[in-house]
């Protein structure tokens, strides 16, 4: 009888808990819910972003601190040139007039970046941050480039940090090799 009472109590609490969880799993929609979300979205969109990791650079910048992929590794789907998000971003940021990145179309974007690099100054990268409502951006670089505004960009050198961390943790040497750029491998890791 005692076991039956415990079973009944557990069953009762189980049903009561399931009902409470179900009630909390869905919002209480009101007639003005869409208006509330739209109003909040406008306020949220005004909040400046702090970007804690970027690779702000021009293609020929040797101080860029990008990690090389291991040989034979394929690119993840989201980073492939065929990702439609890249075309949408290029349209929003630069007025890209095409719907793909075919070589003859991508040349338009490459020429635009080359012109921005040749113009010098910080206007190009500041305009990119402004369009995305980014107030401050950490740039993953060996040194902060003169075309990056130090009031908007802060540089950090992750390769030396990765080499250092690999020596004080139990990570295998192979992982430390890929955590460092080829430039860093020669200078701080003594790994070729």
């Amino acid at each position: 009888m005692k076991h039956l009472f415990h079973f009944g109590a557990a069953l009762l609490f189980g049903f009561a808990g399931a009902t409470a969880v179900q009630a909390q799993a869905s919002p209480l929609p009101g007639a003005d819910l869409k208006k509330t979300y739209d109003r909040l979205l406008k306020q949220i969109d005004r909040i400046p972003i702090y970007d804690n990791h970027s690779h702000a650079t021009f293609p020929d910048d040797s101080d860029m601190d990008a990690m090389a992929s291991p040989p034979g590794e394929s690119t993840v789907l989201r980073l492939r040139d065929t990702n439609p998000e890249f075309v949408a971003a290029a349209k929003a940021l630069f007025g890209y007039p095409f719907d793909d990145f075919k070589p003859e179309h991508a040349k338009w974007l490459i020429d635009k970046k080359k012109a921005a690099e040749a113009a010098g100054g910080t206007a190009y990268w500041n305009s990119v941050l402004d369009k995305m409502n980014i107030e401050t951006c950490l740039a993953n670089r060996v040194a902060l480039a003169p075309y990056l505004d130090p009031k908007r960009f802060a540089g950090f050198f992750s390769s030396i940090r990765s080499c250092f961390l690999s020596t004080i943790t139990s990570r295998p040497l192979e992982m430390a090799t890929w955590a460092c750029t080829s430039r860093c491998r020669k200078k701080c890791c003594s790994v070729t």
Side-chain angles (χ1 to χ4, degrees):
M1 185 70 176
K2 182 178 177 182
H3 293 292
L4 185 59
F5 176 75
H6 286 278
F7 176 73
L11 191 63
L12 180 66
F13 284 120
F15 283 128
T19 305
V21 169
Q22 182 182 10
Q24 293 176 4
S26 59
L28 301 172
D32 63 341
L33 185 65
K34 173 94 170 96
K35 283 196 256 181
T36 301
Y37 284 159
D38 291 340
R39 181 177 50 81
L40 286 173
L41 183 60
K42 288 176 187 174
Q43 296 297 320
I44 291 168
D45 282 343
R46 289 188 205 157
I47 300 170
I49 297 169
Y50 178 86
D51 184 354
N52 69 353
H53 188 130
S54 75
H55 294 268
T57 187
F58 289 113
D60 59 349
D61 188 344
S62 62
D63 284 338
M64 178 57 193
D65 186 26
M67 184 177 5
S69 296
E73 184 176 311
S74 67
T75 306
V76 294
L77 290 173
R78 194 145 193 213
L79 295 179
R80 293 183 184 170
D81 289 342
T82 56
N83 182 349
E85 292 173 334
F86 288 145
V87 172
K91 286 182 176 195
L93 290 173
F94 310 112
Y96 187 68
F98 306 105
D99 293 326
D100 57 44
F101 279 134
K102 291 180 182 172
E104 60 272 14
H105 296 162
K107 185 178 179 326
W108 182 93
L109 195 56
I110 292 167
D111 291 343
K112 189 160 181 123
K113 285 184 101 173
K114 282 183 181 177
E117 184 178 15
T122 61
Y124 172 78
W125 287 104
N126 281 346
S127 72
V128 170
L129 294 184
D130 290 341
K131 289 175 184 174
M132 296 190 301
N133 194 22
I134 296 175
E135 182 177 45
T136 305
C137 185
L138 288 183
N140 188 2
R141 306 181 48 81
V142 173
L144 199 60
Y147 55 78
L148 298 176
D149 184 353
K151 294 176 186 166
R152 306 279 305 270
F153 285 92
F156 69 96
F157 184 28
S158 67
S159 290
I160 286 184
R161 181 190 64 205
S162 297
C163 290
F164 174 71
L165 289 176
S166 68
T167 61
I168 62 171
T169 64
S170 60
R171 292 177 65 192
L173 181 60
E174 294 79 22
M175 292 305 293
T177 302
W178 292 114
C180 301
T181 62
S182 59
R183 182 179 204 180
C184 175
R185 283 184 219 138
K186 292 174 189 162
K187 290 186 177 180
C188 70
C189 295
S190 300
V191 176
T192 56

